[in-house]
Amino acid sequence: MATSSIFENLEITDPKEVEAFADALEISSGGSKRMHAPSGIPLVTDIREIQKFMTAEKISK
């Protein structure tokens, strides 16, 4: 089961690792941040265009 690992006990004894783990938990609790497309790369939001892209055959170079 994929979720079984979240029920495992975690033991960290190194103070630096404890601090790093606490920092990681704090960062992850901030919620996901949306990434913006870099300028010059258009953001595709039309469902038909996305479907066309996802079903296109791969072009090998």
Side-chain angles (χ1 to χ4, degrees), residues 11-53:
E11 183 177 336
I12 304 174
T13 56
D14 182 359
K16 289 182 182 180
E17 289 181 6
V18 171
E19 193 66 35
F21 183 70
D23 290 342
L25 287 177
E26 189 173 323
I27 290 168
S28 69
S29 70
S32 63
K33 294 178 176 59
R34 182 179 172 141
M35 293 178 58
H36 297 283
S39 61
I41 300 176
L43 184 61
V44 180
T45 58
D46 179 45
I47 189 70
R48 289 182 207 98
E49 287 295 318
I50 295 170
Q51 288 173 335
K52 188 165 74 170
F53 172 77

